[in-house]
């Protein structure tokens, strides 16, 4: 199999599972957190689900792009 397809499949798999992890974290944090007031004055569950989880996954996306994704030519060599 051509290396371009192997790399594209690898990148798609990482992207898919990171999106699934984000949705799982975003859905579970409000269920697990309490209703106490947080640092910003908003409920603690809201701060975690809407401020902390997106910030964490922005960093994870950046890491994934830096470590997993490769700049390859998609042109056919023939």
């Amino acid at each position: 199999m051509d290396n371009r397809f192997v790399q594209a499949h690898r990148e798609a798999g990482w992207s898919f599972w990171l999106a699934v992890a984000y949705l799982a974290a975003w859905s579970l944090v409000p269920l697990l957190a309490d209703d106490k007031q947080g640092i910003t004055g908003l409920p603690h569950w809201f701060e975690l689900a809407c401020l902390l989880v997106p910030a964490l996954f922005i960093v994870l996306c950046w890491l994934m792009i830096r470590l997993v994704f490769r700049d390859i030519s998609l042109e056919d060599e023939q």
Side-chain angles (χ1 to χ4, degrees):
M1 184 179 276
D2 192 358
N3 285 338
R4 296 175 298 164
F5 298 117
V6 173
Q7 182 63 26
H9 186 267
R10 183 174 161 213
E11 292 173 3
W14 274 88
S15 300
F16 174 77
W17 288 113
L18 189 64
V20 169
Y22 175 75
L23 289 174
W26 185 76
S27 299
L28 289 175
V29 164
L31 296 175
L32 302 175
D34 54 9
D35 284 343
K36 296 179 185 175
Q37 187 176 10
I39 296 170
T40 63
L42 298 168
H44 193 236
W45 66 266
F46 184 84
E47 287 180 346
L48 292 175
C50 296
L51 300 176
L52 182 65
V53 169
L56 172 67
F57 276 87
I58 287 171
V59 172
L60 290 176
C61 286
W62 179 81
L63 282 172
M64 180 181 66
I65 290 169
R66 299 289 290 166
L67 301 175
V68 176
F69 282 40
R70 298 286 176 246
D71 188 16
I72 57 174
S73 174
L74 298 177
E75 296 295 322
D76 193 12
E77 295 175 1
Q78 296 177 5

